[in-house]
Amino acid sequence: MRHLMNPLDFSVEELDKLFDLAADIEKNQSKYAHACDGKILATCFYEPSTRTRLSFESAMTRLGGRVIGFADANSSSAAKGESVSDTIRVISCYADICAMRHPKEGAPMVASEKSRIPVINAGDGGHYHPTQTLTDLLTIRNLKGHLDGFTIGLCGDLKFGRTVHSLINALVRYPGTKFVFISPEELRVPDYIIEMLKDKNIPYEEVIRLENVMPKLDLLYMTRVQKERFFNEEDYVRLKDFYVLDAAKMELADKDMLVLHPLPRVNEISVEVDDDPRAAYFRQAQYGVYVRMALILTLLGLAS
Ligand code: NCD
């Protein structure tokens, strides 16, 4: 039995197979409409979510399966003090696969150790968000044709953004990747990531001004400042509008540069950018459903 905790749990070859399956699902949806008949997905969300939870539910429903779960820790027995280990033992009796989001880093991992069904980490604190990373990689692969050799700018909250940490981890395996980290001093990418890049000799630079680096980027990954992980409101208010990507800044970028964002967006991308053909974030959300369909099939052993 396999779980998905970290984007590195799948090899590059396994990811290629998963993305091929996602591409086939996109083209031939009716072929998969009953692939999970009789199967149940449990969504255990101890932290707010719209996209991730609904895209899992949509994925399982489109495969013919059913969904149970909770979207709020206060409506689960966690409010009575139950541990995630006990909760997952019980969920293992009710469902065939579980997607879990938790504010504590490592909680889905702890759950997976006691689980009798595959557990998918749907985001654990500021740590990882592997299914968003699968979504990001599929989007890049589908819109650019490959995954290697890109200069990617990651902009915004690089300290607390789990989607950023996951994506960096995944992209280091593709040859020729160069990172440009764009953040205010307070929201720099964590030291453990910088150390990892140094160890692997992966080129990176850290800058504060987005305008200066726009022309050299193949991909720009914008992120929201993670309000819920700040210790004080004042710092959040000071930093929240540090970056606003608008049409003027897009003029500095290459004509083929793609703008990605895991969403939800707050103010960091002005709505005027939405109509730019390089804005890929809503297509990205669509790919999130196909890749989760492919993941559910793979972890349930139903992918041929
Ligand atoms: C992200 C998350 O939850 O980390 N959202 C998502 O899953 N699409 C990004 C965010 O909340 O900023």
Side-chain angles (χ1 to χ4, degrees):
M1 188 181 58
R2 286 188 83 168
H3 307 288
L4 176 67
M5 292 297 129
N6 176 327
L8 302 185
D9 292 349
F10 283 112
S11 68
V12 169
E13 293 71 31
E14 286 173 321
L15 286 183
D16 273 338
K17 273 183 78 178
L18 188 86
F19 297 146
D20 288 343
L21 178 58
D24 193 57
I25 291 171
E26 180 182 4
K27 276 199 233 94
N28 306 295
Q29 290 203 39
S30 57
K31 188 170 128 195
Y32 296 91
H34 296 286
C36 282
D37 275 357
K39 299 286 183 198
I40 297 176
L41 164 76
T43 54
C44 301
F45 277 62
Y46 296 87
E47 205 185 50
S49 164
T50 310
R51 231 153 323 269
T52 304
R53 188 169 57 80
L54 294 186
S55 64
F56 266 113
E57 297 195 3
S58 168
M60 190 49 148
T61 309
R62 286 174 191 274
L63 291 167
R66 291 175 175 255
V67 184
I68 58 173
F70 55 86
D72 172 9
N74 295 324
S75 69
S76 80
S77 288
K80 301 180 190 165
E82 188 175 52
S83 68
V84 288
S85 300
D86 281 4
T87 303
I88 197 69
R89 282 190 177 189
V90 174
I91 303 277
S92 294
C93 310
Y94 303 159
D96 302 289
I97 184 165
C98 172
M100 180 181 286
R101 167 169 289 192
H102 204 286
K104 279 209 190 109
E105 309 191 347
M109 171 76 97
V110 170
S112 72
E113 284 160 7
K114 293 283 188 264
S115 180
R116 290 193 287 109
I117 58 174
V119 178
I120 300 167
N121 175 6
D124 61 327
H127 195 213
Y128 288 139
H129 191 346
T131 60
Q132 181 63 46
T133 301
L134 299 183
T135 303
D136 302 339
L137 296 178
L138 178 68
T139 306
I140 299 167
R141 197 180 94 140
N142 281 2
L143 300 181
K144 289 280 198 187
H146 59 99
L147 283 163
D148 40 43
F150 292 123
T151 298
I152 177 167
L154 294 114
C155 177
D157 188 345
L158 309 188
K159 179 178 182 186
F160 296 114
R162 58 191 169 197
T163 60
V164 168
H165 307 155
S166 276
L167 183 58
I168 297 170
N169 231 340
L171 279 175
V172 297
R173 299 194 294 187
Y174 295 94
T177 303
K178 290 188 191 143
F179 294 101
V180 181
F181 300 130
I182 308 141
S183 74
E185 184 63 32
E186 295 89 332
L187 299 178
R188 283 179 52 211
V189 81
D191 288 343
Y192 78 90
I193 290 185
I194 297 291
E195 290 308 317
M196 182 269 290
L197 295 175
K198 283 186 183 155
D199 279 354
K200 293 186 191 297
N201 268 321
I202 313 266
Y204 72 90
E205 61 180 305
E206 294 186 86
V207 300
I208 296 178
R209 267 179 70 83
L210 176 58
E211 290 86 331
N212 298 357
V213 294
M214 279 302 265
K216 66 171 143 188
L217 303 179
D218 302 307
L219 306 164
L220 173 60
Y221 196 89
M222 294 297 296
T223 62
R224 140 187 104 82
V225 176
Q226 305 279 299
K227 180 177 188 202
E228 65 278 34
R229 308 210 195 282
F230 270 74
F231 297 110
N232 70 67
E233 175 83 15
E234 226 173 272
D235 285 348
Y236 171 71
V237 170
R238 184 166 53 80
L239 294 168
K240 72 181 173 57
D241 296 324
F242 203 92
Y243 298 106
V244 180
L245 181 65
D246 56 15
K249 291 196 189 82
M250 286 300 286
E251 274 187 29
L252 305 169
D254 189 82
K255 63 173 186 5
D256 295 322
M257 187 197 74
L258 288 183
V259 183
L260 302 171
H261 191 307
L263 304 178
R265 149 176 68 186
V266 187
N267 286 327
E268 59 281 354
I269 303 181
S270 149
V271 288
E272 68 192 16
V273 177
D274 296 358
D275 296 327
D276 189 307
R278 296 169 289 183
Y281 29 94
F282 292 115
R283 283 173 282 171
Q284 193 179 351
Q286 176 69 67
Y287 290 131
V289 177
Y290 301 132
V291 90
R292 288 183 175 92
M293 290 170 80
L295 178 66
I296 291 170
L297 288 173
T298 302
L299 293 180
L300 287 176
L302 298 171
S304 46

